[in-house]
Amino acid sequence: MTKVLTVLGIETSCDETAAAVVRGRPPGPGDIVSNIVASQIAEHRPYGGVVPEIAARAHVEILDVIVAQALEEARIALAGVDAIAVTAGPGLIGGVAVGLSLAKGLALASGKPLIALNHLEGHALTARLTHGVAFPFLLLLVSGGHCQLLIAEGVGRFTRLGTTIDDAAGEAFDKTAKLLGLGFPGGPAVECAAARGNPRRHRFPRPLAGSEGFDFSFSGLKTAVRRAAETSGDLTAGVVADLAAGFQAAAIDVLVGRSSKAMQFFAEKYPAPHFLVVAGGVAANKALNISLANAANIAGFEMFVPSPQLCTDNAAMIAWAGLEYFSLGRTDCLDIAPRARWPLDASRRDVAGAKA
Ligand code: KG4
Ligand code: ZN
């Protein structure tokens, strides 16, 4: 049995500056000893979305303080950790470079090994940190930049079943929020408005529903919501709530429909028990959770969703992914470069329109 490890994690790939200390051993669950997340929401709000240059500068300004705070809260010195884990991509390259540079400096100064991680794998392995979920499992990864169904066979071993051919799930929520005047960040705002609306007032399209394969599409849905908004007169709170509810119901149908099909595929391939893991920021959506739990129940799957704070970007997931790699004896050289794009599935086939 591998020994208990303590890993410092650093995350700067989008608009959260985060550092955390995690302790444990695979397959988990592990202990989150500290978990500091500084959100840049206020800096980006005036622009209605994340501005890459502002994000990178904000990371530069506070990352060292956030790392010091994570170590202090964990009551540990850098000398006491076994390794330093950091997001090396995919993401906004300026921000990723800030985190990776600091991690390299810390590794060089302390002599501790560096582990450079794929941000998506951080999301993917969070359910092992929180619940010790065993491989293989089916993974629905739904974030601001991604919407994918994958089979997780092991650390660094993912097979992609499907991806979005246009917008990511979180992107669809964010764009819908913007066009309905709900502000930034969009996902929680749409969820909140949808809770007060009638999801049956508008019947929006479910793109790719019933089609072959496991790919997703959201752009037709977004256009339909825009058209409905344009012909709905004044965007009063009630009108917006109905549009948000109609959008959310359609988006959830798309996600649940594809996931149900993937569960069927997975169940034919692997013996029980079967696990469905939902990860990424959109996994924080309660209505989605309820619908997915119902579908998982019907398919005979046990579903795992990390708590909302661990669904959205954080460094505990990066520390844990680093811990998994380190326990397998895998570390990185200090000359590793940041990557704006980095697909989780190395053997991926290209999908027209897919961003990753
Ligand atoms: O994983 P994440 O924090 O960052 C990325 O790696 O992209 O995901 C952020 C995305 C945003 O698009 C945000 O609007 C969405 O997750 N999100 C939600 C909810 N909370 C966050 N979408 C729907 N419902 C939510 N409650
Ligand atoms: Zn993320």
Side-chain angles (χ1 to χ4, degrees), residues 293-315:
N294 189 31
N297 193 27
I298 292 168
F301 275 59
E302 192 174 348
M303 184 171 104
F304 296 92
V305 189
S307 64
Q309 307 89 278
L310 293 175
C311 282
T312 48
D313 288 350
N314 65 87

Side-chain angles (χ1 to χ4, degrees), residues 119 123 143 313 317:
H119 174 86
H123 281 301
S143 70
D313 288 350
M317 68 181 193

Side-chain angles (χ1 to χ4, degrees), residues 13-14 16 119 123 142-146 169-171 173-174 185-188 191 248 280-286 311-313:
S13 67
C14 193
E16 324 279 358
H119 174 86
H123 281 301
V142 272
S143 70
H146 296 84
E171 198 177 354
F173 272 88
D174 292 337
E191 176 167 28
Q248 183 173 272
V282 184
N285 186 288
K286 286 187 204 68
C311 282
T312 48
D313 288 350

Side-chain angles (χ1 to χ4, degrees), residues 208-334:
L208 296 185
S211 70
E212 243 182 70
F214 303 94
D215 288 337
F216 301 88
S217 167
F218 292 98
S219 79
L221 169 58
K222 182 187 64 195
T223 309
V225 177
R226 173 176 294 120
R227 284 217 189 93
E230 282 164 2
T231 53
S232 290
D234 284 350
L235 289 183
T236 60
V239 169
V240 166
D242 289 346
L243 288 165
F247 161 79
Q248 183 173 272
I252 289 176
D253 269 2
V254 169
L255 292 168
V256 173
R258 291 325 231 182
S259 303
S260 293
K261 197 173 167 204
M263 283 192 272
Q264 211 176 338
F265 177 84
F266 186 96
E268 282 164 15
K269 202 169 149 81
Y270 296 100
H274 296 137
F275 307 127
L276 171 68
V277 168
V278 193
V282 184
N285 186 288
K286 286 187 204 68
L288 172 63
N289 267 280
I290 292 167
S291 296
L292 275 174
N294 189 31
N297 193 27
I298 292 168
F301 275 59
E302 192 174 348
M303 184 171 104
F304 296 92
V305 189
S307 64
Q309 307 89 278
L310 293 175
C311 282
T312 48
D313 288 350
N314 65 87
M317 68 181 193
I318 300 303
W320 175 261
L323 189 151
E324 294 247 28
Y325 272 90
F326 190 61
S327 73
L328 295 172
R330 288 159 69 176
T331 60
D332 289 286
C333 298
L334 290 182

Side-chain angles (χ1 to χ4, degrees), residues 2 24 31 42-43 89 101 131 141 155 161 163 177 185-186 194 196-197 237 240 262 264 273 283 296 313 335 340 344:
T2 45
D31 283 334
E43 277 101 320
S101 303
H131 295 90
L141 181 60
V155 174
L161 299 179
T163 188
R196 295 188 298 265
V240 166
Q264 211 176 338
D313 288 350
D335 61 358
L344 200 43

